[in-house]
């Protein structure tokens, strides 16, 4: 199970990872993509069907110390390392 699914608590800074032995009962009924900056499309999806998942490159957040993160090309690469749920606006 360790190579299938795991949960971690900041392993790069002394945390640990543990295998998940029992998986939640969840399925994906539909999926798709949105054009960059298609905020109204994402809002319509959340309104019609509930939360949506977004992939993000979390590398720039590794040493985050607070404040506002400014959009930049490094934040838009294809190395998506985390998923976040968008639940509203």
């Amino acid at each position: 199970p360790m190579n299938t699914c795991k949960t971690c608590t900041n392993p790069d800074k002394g945390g640990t990872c543990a295998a998940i032995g029992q998986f939640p009962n969840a399925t994906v009924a539909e999926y798709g993509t949105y054009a960059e900056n298609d905020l109204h499309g994402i809002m319509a999806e959340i309104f019609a069907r509930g939360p949506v998942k977004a992939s993000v490159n979390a590398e720039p957040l590794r040493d985050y110390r607070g404040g506002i993160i400014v959009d930049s090309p490094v934040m838009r690469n294809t190395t998506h390392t985390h998923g976040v749920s968008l639940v509203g606006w």
Side-chain angles (χ1 to χ4, degrees), residues 28-35 38 42 45 49 52-55:
V28 176
E30 299 176 72
Y31 66 93
T33 59
Y34 292 94
D38 183 9
I42 296 169
E45 187 67 27
R49 294 187 221 0
V52 299
K53 182 244 182 201
S55 295

Side-chain angles (χ1 to χ4, degrees), residues 18-39:
I20 295 176
Q22 192 170 33
F23 302 101
N25 184 11
T27 58
V28 176
E30 299 176 72
Y31 66 93
T33 59
Y34 292 94
E36 187 175 334
N37 297 322
D38 183 9
L39 300 179

Side-chain angles (χ1 to χ4, degrees), residues 34 39-52 86-89:
Y34 292 94
L39 300 179
H40 293 291
I42 296 169
M43 290 167 68
E45 187 67 27
I46 293 169
F47 184 77
R49 294 187 221 0
V52 299
L86 304 177
V87 298
W89 61 91

